[in-house]
Amino acid sequence: MREILPELGRWYAARNPFGLATVVAVSRSAPRDPGAAMAVGPDDEVVGSVSGGCVEGAVFELAREVVASGEARLETFGYSDEDAFAVGLTCGGEITVLVRPVTPEADPSFGAVAQSVAAREPVTVATVIDGPAARGATLAVWPDRVGGTLGATGLDVAVTADARGELALGATGLRHYGPRGERREDSVTVFLHSFAPPPRMLVFGAIDYAAAVARIGDFLGYRVTVCDARPVFATPKRFPAGVEVVVDWPHRYLRGTDTDERTVICVLTHDPKFDVPLLEEALRRPAAYIGAMGSRRTHEDRMRRLLQSDLSEPELARLRSPVGLDLGARTPEEVAVSVAAEIVALRWGGTGVALTGAARAIHRAR
């Protein structure tokens, strides 16, 4: 979608209606991920792709039909064993595609979304794909505002809250609600498409605890990198698939790495020759969370060393150490849950106390 949005923005600004097809769900070995898009515009011009060529012909016809009718369509394409030449995916997977007409009247926020994506401003687009709500209705959600509506105030409120949560992670996927946003119902299916890169989790120290933290970080939607100066420990086979493993001195690697306000930094080395210069670098740069593993004695020794640097009190106060919430964790996996719980609580302003008996709202505004 990012690649074709500039052209779609031009069509939209010229008030040329077009049909937009978006992959909203996949299974097995589907060739494209959710969010892949194809559009058919003026003079039957085509941009983008939803399957790498397998079903584009059928989607082209659907896009023309929805522009003519003004009604969105939801179609699923899969491989047919009975007729391998039928419309479908020869890779054996399955994709579900929402095809909807886009005009200034049908989607008044589309132009603003295209501008935000071009400017690298985060935004999530929520689109109804099934249920009693109007299929194809859209709600654009920015961190500080919204545009459009899904047709019901309660649904807009619930989807806005979830959209901002997905935006914080750069995640895309399906959510289910009742017609007025009821979270315990699933009659309305909404596709949340986030235009933000996934946040980074930087894990320093290639130990067993790092493998568990990397695994839960990947599960939460972070792009995880594990870094250690010791090549005997920093090997990809010790970590989950999809986790980047780097052999380098931690402070040197961090110095050459971009971070932002969503970045999570977990220092698990608990060795002063690694973690002190690393934390001196980390505490001076933008990050959502900076945590360091170690006992209270290790923490006190670490703080004494850091106090000898020129770090300010506000910078030192950013350090979460010992890392994690008090869950009584023992195993690497339990410690990883403790660390993840602290990261989530810090992001959303949670207290970390049990919800049983708590007076505060379960889902609070950020």
Side-chain angles (χ1 to χ4, degrees), residues 16-39:
N16 290 318
F18 57 91
L20 177 60
T22 306
V23 177
V24 297
V26 302
S27 67
R28 301 191 301 279
S29 55
R32 302 297 300 273
D33 292 328
M38 166 182 158

Side-chain angles (χ1 to χ4, degrees):
M1 179 67 87
R2 286 181 182 274
E3 296 170 358
I4 68 175
L5 263 177
E7 184 64 26
L8 303 190
R10 287 188 285 270
W11 292 348
Y12 186 85
R15 304 188 71 84
N16 290 318
F18 57 91
L20 177 60
T22 306
V23 177
V24 297
V26 302
S27 67
R28 301 191 301 279
S29 55
R32 302 297 300 273
D33 292 328
M38 166 182 158
V40 179
D43 301 321
D44 291 340
E45 182 180 355
V46 177
V47 292
S49 170
V50 293
S51 73
C54 298
V55 302
E56 267 66 7
V59 173
F60 172 82
E61 295 298 337
L62 279 172
R64 297 179 67 192
E65 291 173 13
V66 301
V67 170
S69 68
E71 300 291 332
R73 297 270 298 275
L74 188 69
E75 298 287 343
T76 298
F77 299 95
Y79 182 79
S80 170
D81 291 329
E82 290 76 20
D83 184 359
F85 294 99
V87 174
L89 303 178
T90 55
C91 60
E94 183 176 275
I95 62 173
T96 299
V97 180
L98 175 71
V99 189
R100 65 183 179 93
V102 179
T103 64
E105 294 74 26
D107 191 347
S109 299
F110 188 90
V113 169
Q115 291 174 4
S116 289
V117 174
R120 298 180 180 269
E121 296 173 352
V123 59
T124 293
V125 178
T127 307
V128 175
I129 67 169
D130 204 7
R135 177 176 290 161
T138 61
L139 177 71
V141 180
W142 290 267
D144 59 349
R145 66 191 190 278
V146 299
T149 179
L150 303 183
T153 300
L155 183 59
D156 287 349
V157 169
V159 170
T160 296
D162 288 347
R164 285 180 174 147
E166 298 293 85
L167 190 58
L169 292 173
T172 288
L174 299 176
R175 290 294 184 97
H176 304 277
Y177 308 89
R180 296 180 181 83
E182 299 91 340
R183 295 182 180 276
R184 296 183 64 183
E185 299 183 24
D186 59 2
S187 59
V188 178
T189 303
V190 177
F191 179 64
L192 300 181
H193 190 177
S194 295
F195 292 93
R200 298 200 66 183
M201 174 181 281
L202 306 176
V203 182
F204 295 96
I207 60 177
D208 289 346
Y209 291 95
V213 170
R215 189 175 301 112
I216 201 167
D218 180 67
F219 174 75
L220 290 175
Y222 288 91
R223 180 163 68 93
V224 182
T225 298
V226 176
C227 175
D228 197 301
R230 302 163 297 181
V232 67
F233 295 115
T235 60
K237 67 181 181 180
R238 299 185 65 232
F239 297 93
V243 171
E244 179 187 28
V245 181
V246 173
V247 179
D248 200 351
W249 278 83
H251 71 282
R252 184 170 60 191
Y253 173 76
L254 183 59
R255 188 175 299 146
T257 301
D258 291 333
T259 63
D260 59 26
E261 288 73 13
R262 301 183 302 153
T263 303
V264 166
I265 299 174
C266 297
V267 180
L268 309 182
T269 52
H270 53 80
D271 183 331
K273 70 175 178 290
F274 290 122
D275 59 18
V276 171
L278 171 60
L279 287 170
E280 287 184 25
E281 177 68 30
L283 293 169
R284 290 189 174 97
R285 56 173 51 237
Y289 175 91
I290 303 171
M293 176 178 279
S295 65
R296 299 198 183 279
R297 179 178 297 177
T298 298
H299 169 70
E300 291 170 1
D301 176 70
R302 182 188 295 133
M303 289 300 296
R304 280 194 296 270
R305 295 170 186 267
L306 289 172
L307 285 169
Q308 296 173 12
S309 69
D310 59 353
L311 288 166
S312 66
E313 289 187 12
E315 288 172 334
L316 288 169
R318 299 174 63 203
L319 178 60
R320 317 288 292 192
S321 175
V323 70
L325 297 185
D326 180 14
L327 304 183
R330 292 289 187 272
T331 68
E333 291 75 19
E334 290 174 345
V335 170
V337 171
S338 168
V339 174
E342 184 175 44
I343 292 169
V344 173
L346 188 63
R347 180 196 303 150
W348 298 112
T351 63
V353 303
L355 289 173
T356 301
R360 297 181 66 180
I362 296 175
H363 300 288
R364 298 183 296 280
R366 185 169 183 173

